[in-house]
Amino acid sequence: MEAAMAAVVRESGAYGGLLYVLPPGDSALWLVVAAGLPRELAAPWQRVALSDPIPVADAVREGRLVWLGGQEEMARRYPRPALVLPYDFAMAAAPLTSGGESRGGLVLLWPGTRSPQLSPAERRVVEAGCARLGDLFRQRADRGDPLLPGSRPLTLPLPSGRIVPPDEASAAAAFIDRLPGGSCALDMHGRLVFVTPGAAELLGAGPDHLVGALPWEALPWMDVPQVEDRYRAAMVSREPQTFTVLRPPDTWLAFELYPDPSGISVRINAADPSAASAAAPSVPAAGPSRATLLYHLMQLAATLTEAVGVQDVADRTAAQLLPALGAQGLVLMTAEEGRLKIIGHRGYSTDLMERFDAVRLSSDIPGARVQATGIPGFYTTFSDLQHDYPSVVHEDGMGAWAVLPLIASGRPRGSLLLAYRRPHAFPPGERAVLTSLAGLVGQALDRALLYDAKHKVAHRLQSALLPHTLPRIPGLRVAARYLPAARGLGIGGDFYDLIHLAEHTAGATIGDVQGHNVDAAALMGQVRTAVHAHATAGSSPDQVLAGTNRLLNDLEPDLFTSCVYVHLDLAGRRACMATAGHPPPLLRHSDGRTELLRISPGLLLGIEPEARYPTLDVPLPPGCVLVLYTDGLVEAPGVDIDNATAALAGLLEHADPADLDTMADTLIRHAPSPGDDIALLLISPEE
């Protein structure tokens, strides 16, 4: 297996590769061999789920070769891995199949300086290598010795060149020692394997202390982000890298890194203190510092996972990206019915945004073109922007712009404009980072658009199921309130209803279906309909609940429902009620005294088909108020339910029974923060 892996890397001209196995019945690829690469660089992708937005997962899942010709293409199509490895390299990912079965995947890596296209000859070499590896996987499985993932993947070093005779090696070492400055060598894992006396002197440590150690561990002053970052850049891009770093207290050192398959050769020289201290210690013209970007990237990724709607994505993106990138303006756009829709902006006037909002996507403006093509645009000056858009007018006062596609599921879902007050260079590294960032925003926007669509449908469903208005019943004053939970979709299973039965009778009900989702809302509609049907058929309260309970048991919804049903005799000024595991009603008398109506509760609806529901008959004297409510009005973490109910009764005692709407608002206003839905129904017989 190792020989076949080394052969396909060598024959394809790649400098390294990763070999994955797909165990039978598993839904994830496991890294088994890392050739020509440090194991640490491949660590984030040691296990790759087939559903992950990663090139090798797409290749295996879709049965095709995935080619990425460079850093910008990687950033545009796969923002997550591009953020972890923001370096210039090319990649091919291909599936391994044999005998009609998927066996695993192969990833090959080339320097970013190669042609951005994979030639037909190279493609044939890759496909032939995949066929050989797939056959080897099958042969091992047929022998009863399938290749399975181990605790750590095998690291396979690749030959780096000719073998040097001992006398030539000695002469080479003497030659290096005579050169000014110092030299050292790192193996492919970043550890020092060779240090000249000149290098040891410049680094301020002896060879015995340095050899075998990672530079940023052996020398604390090298434990800064750009040192390891440049090492990783050299290993991944296979291109020379440079950086300067301060050796305390006042010695600046310049490092040049030259990689090959066996490791990295390093030249060290003293740097001019004035020039070195004036320059950024990372690679010139690389945009914002990598440490700053990483911090803001983690913040952005974390905050976008919590975004629950389009406007939330827009607000969080603006709050995170502008300080991270040093930009002064941001516009977040999507498409709506063939027109550009601006969903968020910072650094621009509302008047200017309103002029561009709802323009046709066919308009020749950057935000619209990027949405159509998925290709980012970077404009260092207004002249650059005008070159691509001759009709554009310089009216925003900015000096440079990046217009980025928001890609999700392989297609643009919108565009992101970043603006800088002064001309701003966009070197390749920064372009890749910006494109990757836009990819994260695009994925969050895709989720948010879906959330908003579900939210809209759910609320329309719930609005259709709850009563739009309560019937006017002579001799009865009522007020009702509904407040959705603060979490989830903002819908739930709480319901209420008032039913005009006859000239002097009415029914009132309130209930609570488990959950805060569409299923709960749908079941709520069925329960409310069942209660209404049994009540209008003339059933007593216990029969109403028993009939509704039998229906729910037949439906087997796997959700339980609490409910109170009250039969109101307005002529006799009495109420008969039954409850299915619901919080008991409160009755406020005309003198302000409030009592808890302790009804013997039956089981929740939907548990036992033959459950019985005892009734309670109470008088309804003039001026009283009957209060039906769901548990969201009194329940809160760490609060005793009896104390909360007593506090609710206290509010009722001091409320004005002549104004039921004000009373309802007062009760809702003093409710706990709605982690649960709240429904409230106030009923008062008129004098």
Side-chain angles (χ1 to χ4, degrees):
M1 189 68 66
E2 291 85 351
M5 180 65 179
V8 70
V9 172
R10 182 180 64 254
E11 293 167 7
S12 66
Y15 69 72
L18 305 172
L19 182 63
Y20 288 88
V21 64
L22 179 63
D26 204 336
S27 60
L29 296 161
W30 293 85
L31 180 63
V32 289
V33 178
L37 283 171
R39 185 186 299 116
E40 292 76 12
L41 284 182
W45 302 284
Q46 187 165 332
R47 179 188 181 277
V48 175
L50 289 176
S51 58
D52 283 347
I54 304 293
V56 68
D58 284 355
V60 174
R61 188 179 63 254
E62 299 170 10
R64 63 182 179 89
L65 187 145
V66 174
W67 169 253
L68 299 165
Q71 185 179 18
E72 289 194 33
E73 187 177 3
M74 169 71 86
R76 187 170 64 251
R77 294 172 57 186
Y78 296 97
R80 278 172 47 185
L83 284 173
V84 179
L85 293 175
Y87 311 120
D88 198 14
F89 65 99
M91 169 191 288
L96 303 181
T97 59
S98 182
E101 293 185 24
S102 181
R103 307 283 180 175
L106 174 68
V107 174
L108 295 171
L109 306 172
W110 288 264
T113 52
R114 60 151 289 139
S115 166
Q117 301 299 325
L118 188 67
S119 70
E122 290 173 320
R123 179 180 288 269
R124 287 193 294 271
V125 168
V126 173
E127 291 173 347
C130 288
R132 290 199 304 271
L133 289 167
D135 287 341
L136 289 173
F137 277 22
R138 178 183 55 80
Q139 292 168 15
R140 289 192 55 161
D142 292 345
R143 294 197 306 266
D145 180 30
L147 184 62
L148 297 175
S151 57
R152 301 181 72 185
L154 171 68
T155 299
L156 180 63
L158 299 176
S160 59
R162 65 190 181 90
I163 298 175
V164 180
D167 55 344
E168 186 177 337
S170 177
F175 167 77
I176 293 171
D177 287 347
R178 289 191 294 267
L179 292 175
S183 301
C184 61
L186 309 176
D187 65 14
M188 62 183 300
H189 302 290
R191 298 190 177 277
L192 287 155
V193 293
F194 169 76
V195 180
T196 66
E201 182 178 353
L202 287 168
L203 296 173
D208 292 343
H209 177 70
L210 295 171
V211 173
L214 295 169
W216 43 89
E217 290 180 355
L219 303 167
W221 50 269
M222 292 194 75
D223 189 15
V224 289
Q226 72 267 18
V227 173
E228 186 176 357
D229 182 56
R230 291 302 90 195
Y231 155 73
R232 291 164 63 89
M235 290 303 297
V236 174
S237 71
R238 295 299 161 97
E239 288 297 302
Q241 304 291 325
T242 63
F243 63 90
T244 57
V245 68
L246 176 66
R247 176 189 142 196
D250 55 8
T251 302
W252 285 92
L253 298 176
F255 292 78
E256 301 172 18
L257 281 59
Y258 300 94
D260 78 355
S262 65
I264 299 177
S265 298
V266 182
R267 287 287 296 156
I268 310 171
N269 284 289
D272 177 10
S274 59
S277 59
S282 56
V283 174
S289 76
R290 180 128 168 89
T292 300
L293 271 179
L294 284 175
Y295 170 77
H296 285 287
L297 290 178
M298 289 188 292
Q299 289 287 96
L300 177 64
T303 196
L304 286 180
T305 62
E306 300 171 357
V308 294
V310 168
Q311 192 57 52
D312 200 13
V313 169
D315 292 342
R316 291 170 184 259
T317 297
Q320 291 291 327
L321 281 190
L322 291 182
L325 302 173
Q328 287 74 47
L330 177 147
V331 183
L332 195 61
M333 298 159 277
T334 186
E336 189 174 281
E337 297 180 352
R339 294 182 178 272
L340 192 71
K341 178 66 176 176
I342 295 177
I343 56 178
H345 61 89
R346 293 280 177 90
Y348 284 101
S349 69
T350 301
D351 290 343
L352 182 60
M353 292 297 97
E354 287 177 350
R355 288 171 50 194
F356 287 94
D357 193 27
V359 302
R360 293 188 178 278
L361 288 177
S362 57
S363 303
D364 193 25
I365 58 175
R369 185 189 293 182
V370 166
Q371 287 197 46
T373 64
I375 300 173
F378 299 94
Y379 307 100
T380 300
T381 64
F382 179 69
S383 297
D384 294 340
L385 180 64
Q386 198 170 39
H387 179 271
D388 283 1
Y389 300 91
S391 62
V392 72
V393 178
H394 194 182
E395 53 187 332
D396 66 354
M398 297 294 183
W401 301 263
V403 191
L404 309 161
L406 303 178
I407 304 292
S409 303
R411 60 192 181 93
R413 296 307 306 265
S415 55
L416 171 66
L417 180 142
L418 293 167
Y420 301 78
R421 287 202 181 95
R422 295 174 179 166
H424 181 90
F426 296 100
E430 186 174 0
R431 292 186 181 204
V433 168
L434 293 177
T435 306
S436 297
L437 282 169
L440 289 181
V441 176
Q443 292 170 5
L445 179 62
D446 194 45
R447 295 191 300 269
L449 288 167
L450 180 60
Y451 174 89
D452 282 355
K454 288 182 177 179
H455 195 265
K456 184 176 180 180
V457 170
H459 274 273
R460 290 177 61 185
L461 169 65
Q462 189 161 45
S463 296
L465 296 175
L466 286 171
H468 295 288
T469 59
L470 294 176
R472 290 184 174 273
I473 300 177
L476 202 63
R477 295 183 302 120
V478 296
R481 297 290 185 271
Y482 174 77
L483 189 66
R487 66 179 190 273
L489 286 174
I491 65 167
D494 286 20
F495 66 94
Y496 60 87
D497 204 358
L498 184 67
I499 309 163
H500 195 174
L501 298 175
E503 183 179 358
H504 298 295
T505 59
T509 186
I510 199 163
D512 182 1
V513 179
Q514 283 179 311
H516 309 91
N517 53 30
V518 174
D519 291 340
L523 183 60
M524 172 268 285
Q526 293 174 309
V527 173
R528 178 174 166 248
T529 300
V531 169
H532 198 286
H534 286 292
T536 53
S539 300
S540 62
D542 57 325
Q543 293 171 337
V544 168
L545 293 186
T548 304
N549 177 55
R550 285 192 295 272
L551 172 66
L552 290 195
N553 276 275
D554 290 342
L555 293 175
E556 298 181 351
D558 295 325
L559 295 174
F560 304 129
T561 304
S562 68
C563 185
V564 169
Y565 177 73
V566 183
H567 182 270
L568 300 165
D569 179 0
L570 303 179
R573 295 188 180 279
R574 301 197 66 82
C576 181
M577 59 194 71
T579 177
H582 197 83
L586 288 166
L587 182 63
R588 184 194 188 279
H589 295 272
S590 58
D591 60 2
R593 179 176 57 89
T594 301
E595 67 172 311
L596 189 68
L597 301 179
R598 300 187 181 278
I599 316 171
S600 297
L603 288 174
L604 293 168
L605 304 178
I607 294 179
E608 169 54 52
E610 302 305 321
R612 301 174 65 84
Y613 298 93
T615 60
L616 175 70
D617 193 74
V618 297
L620 290 179
C624 73
V625 179
L626 180 65
V627 182
L628 307 180
Y629 57 94
T630 56
D631 55 11
L633 191 63
V634 291
E635 279 191 353
V639 176
D640 181 79
I641 188 69
D642 293 333
N643 292 339
T645 305
L648 180 65
L651 289 172
L652 282 168
E653 290 177 357
H654 295 90
D656 180 5
D659 189 346
L660 292 187
D661 282 318
T662 300
M663 179 183 283
D665 291 339
T666 299
L667 299 183
I668 291 291
R669 188 166 57 248
H670 287 83
S673 177
D676 197 1
D677 312 310
I678 296 174
L680 174 67
L681 184 61
L682 305 181
I683 303 168
S684 179
E686 292 182 320
E687 298 286 345

